């Protein structure tokens, strides 16, 4: 234990009653003071690591001249690598590289994978609604599980990402746009929650709009779309991208229609059935703006059929029921879609 000044004073007063303190006693006092200083310094350093949670801790070394500050990488949650993942479906032309599975929400994970091409995308998949956080860069990124992060990479050069996920009910307490520090403190103050989620990484050549935008930023501006202002809404529906066909009823029979499909969080391809005709729409490219187009329904229609595939399903071999079912085989539903139908 560290000696307080009161303890040392009592020792010195007791010994001084017998005369001048001996050199041995003075050395003992000095040793006790130095030992107490070292213990207090060590306790201070440990406190910094605990506050930093599972991200980074800045430890100040105080062992004489040349003391410096260094970053210490704290331990991360262990995961289980899915050995079968590299044989799964490509996404946007990117081949699956690595999937690491975890059994708890609310602990920081660290995943290292080796890109095989100039583009790399990684995403989180969760067993229930959750918010995914990525703190690999200076700014923390967050989205619903199923969101994606793209990187320009060099084949063969490993990439390490730091990431975690929180159930939506827990993430609400953290608030929007947390910093790496506030996220670390939040995780340190809350116990992990049992739950399955994974990080999946894909890499290779890529021809999607997102990858083109990475090499040509000017392509980020979406083309002008027909306006919806002032049009009468005939029907609206929303759902999860699960490949299941649904019918959206219209308030009145429509002939000349204007439709918008919006796909988010991994929903990618919408198949529309209108007055006996089918149309596949790459709704993923529209992101939050959606994809708008005009459609003639002949003599009119009372309902619009729609089925939406997640990005993980890849490109379907067709747009019939059998092709959609085959595309969804072994694929978990993911992402959200909205369909709006207007009379023009």
């Amino acid at each position: 234990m560290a000696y307080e000044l009161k303890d040392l004073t009592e020792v010195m007063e007791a010994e001084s009653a017998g005369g001048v303190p001996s050199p041995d006693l003075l050395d003992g006092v000095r040793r006790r003071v130095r030992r107490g200083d070292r213990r207090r310094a060590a306790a201070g350093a440990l406190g910094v690591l605990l506050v930093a949670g599972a991200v980074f801790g800045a430890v100040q070394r105080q062992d004489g001249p040349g003391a410096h500050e260094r970053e210490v990488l704290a331990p991360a949650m262990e995961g289980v690598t899915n050995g079968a993942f590299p044989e799964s479906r490509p996404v946007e032309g990117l081949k699956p590289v690595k999937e690491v599975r975890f059994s708890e929400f609310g602990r920081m994970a660290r995943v290292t994978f080796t890109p095989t091409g100039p583009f790399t995308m990684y995403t989180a998949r969760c067993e229930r609604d959750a918010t995914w956080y990525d703190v690999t860069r200076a700014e923390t990124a967050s989205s619903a599980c199923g969101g994606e992060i793209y990187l320009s990479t060099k084949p063969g050069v490993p990439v390490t990402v730091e990431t975690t996920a929180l159930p939506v009910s827990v993430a609400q307490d953290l608030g929007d746009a947390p910093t790496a520090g506030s996220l670390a403190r939040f995780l340190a103050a809350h116990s992990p929650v049992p739950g399955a989620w994974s990080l999946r990484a894909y890499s290779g050549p890529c021809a999607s709009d997102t990858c083109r935008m990475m090499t040509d930023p000017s392509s980020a501006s979406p083309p002008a779309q027909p306006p919806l202002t002032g049009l009468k809404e005939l029907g609206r529906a929303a759902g999860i991208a699960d490949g299941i066909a649904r019918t959206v009823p219209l308030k009145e029979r429509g002939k000349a229609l204007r439709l918008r499909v919006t796909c988010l969080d991994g929903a990618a391809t919408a198949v529309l059935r209108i007055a006996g005709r089918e149309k596949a729409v790459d709704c993923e490219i529209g992101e939050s703006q959606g994809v708008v187009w005009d459609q003639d329904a002949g003599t009119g229609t009372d309902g619009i059929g729609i089925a939406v595939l997640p990005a993980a399903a890849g490109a379907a071999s067709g747009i019939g029921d059998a092709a959609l079912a085959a595309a969804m085989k072994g694929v978990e539903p993911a992402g959200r879609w909205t369909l709006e139908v207007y009379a023009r």
Side-chain angles (χ1 to χ4, degrees):
M1 60 175 287
Y3 284 85
E4 302 292 338
L5 180 59
K6 180 185 69 173
D7 302 319
L8 300 177
T9 301
E10 290 174 354
V11 171
M12 295 180 71
E13 287 177 346
E15 292 295 331
S16 65
V20 178
S22 68
D24 291 339
L25 175 61
L26 293 175
D27 286 341
V29 170
R30 294 189 185 101
R31 284 194 298 273
R32 289 171 182 171
V33 172
R34 286 197 296 268
R35 185 165 60 246
D37 286 344
R38 286 196 299 271
R39 287 174 176 171
R40 281 188 291 273
L46 177 60
V48 172
L49 287 173
L50 291 175
V51 168
V55 190
F56 292 98
V59 178
Q60 179 74 39
R61 295 185 62 184
Q62 313 224 0
D63 47 2
H68 62 282
E69 195 170 76
R70 61 189 175 92
E71 284 187 336
V72 176
L73 201 60
M77 173 174 57
E78 294 293 333
V80 177
T81 300
N82 176 12
F85 180 70
E87 304 302 321
S88 58
R89 300 170 182 264
V91 173
E92 297 183 21
L94 302 171
K95 294 183 178 180
V97 173
K98 188 175 186 177
E99 179 185 31
V100 181
R101 296 173 173 175
F102 304 98
S103 59
E104 288 184 321
F105 291 104
R107 293 183 62 195
M108 193 63 71
R110 190 174 301 117
V111 178
T112 298
F113 52 83
T114 302
T116 57
F119 297 98
T120 295
M121 180 271 286
Y122 57 96
T123 181
R125 290 289 184 266
C126 304
E127 68 171 3
R128 54 175 158 150
D129 288 343
T131 301
W132 170 43
Y133 300 89
D134 177 78
V135 295
T136 305
R137 292 158 199 75
E139 295 185 2
T140 301
S142 64
S143 72
C145 283
E148 298 156 339
I149 293 178
Y150 291 79
L151 303 173
S152 294
T153 51
K154 185 174 181 180
V157 178
V159 172
T160 298
V161 301
E162 289 198 289
T163 181
T164 190
L166 291 170
V168 170
S169 58
V170 178
Q172 291 174 349
D173 295 333
L174 175 58
D176 297 330
T179 64
S182 64
L183 175 60
R185 290 189 291 272
F186 184 88
L187 296 181
H190 293 76
S191 299
V193 178
W197 66 283
S198 70
L199 187 84
R200 298 177 178 180
Y202 302 79
S203 187
C206 176
S208 73
D209 287 336
T210 303
C211 297
R212 284 195 293 269
M213 185 175 63
M214 292 170 65
T215 56
D216 180 14
S218 64
S219 65
S221 300
Q225 301 192 91
L228 301 175
T229 305
L231 299 183
K232 182 178 181 180
E233 184 179 285
L234 300 182
R236 174 188 293 261
I240 303 296
D242 54 13
I244 298 175
R246 298 168 173 83
T247 298
V248 179
L250 303 184
K251 298 175 183 177
E252 62 184 55
R253 192 170 184 82
K255 295 181 180 181
L257 306 175
R258 182 165 292 173
L259 302 94
R260 176 165 65 181
V261 175
T262 305
C263 293
L264 299 171
D265 302 333
T269 305
V271 175
L272 282 296
R273 293 169 181 171
I274 305 170
R277 288 174 289 178
E278 294 184 337
K279 177 183 178 67
V281 178
D282 183 3
C283 54
E284 188 176 33
I285 65 173
E287 298 183 332
S288 60
Q289 301 290 326
V291 177
V292 181
W293 75 97
D294 290 339
Q295 183 81 41
D296 290 325
T299 58
T301 182
D302 296 321
I304 306 294
I306 183 171
V308 182
L309 295 171
S317 59
I319 54 179
D321 290 339
L324 295 176
M328 285 299 298
K329 188 174 182 179
V331 177
E332 292 294 327
R336 298 174 289 119
W337 59 265
T338 302
L339 169 65
E340 302 160 69
V341 185
Y342 299 86
R344 58 181 169 85

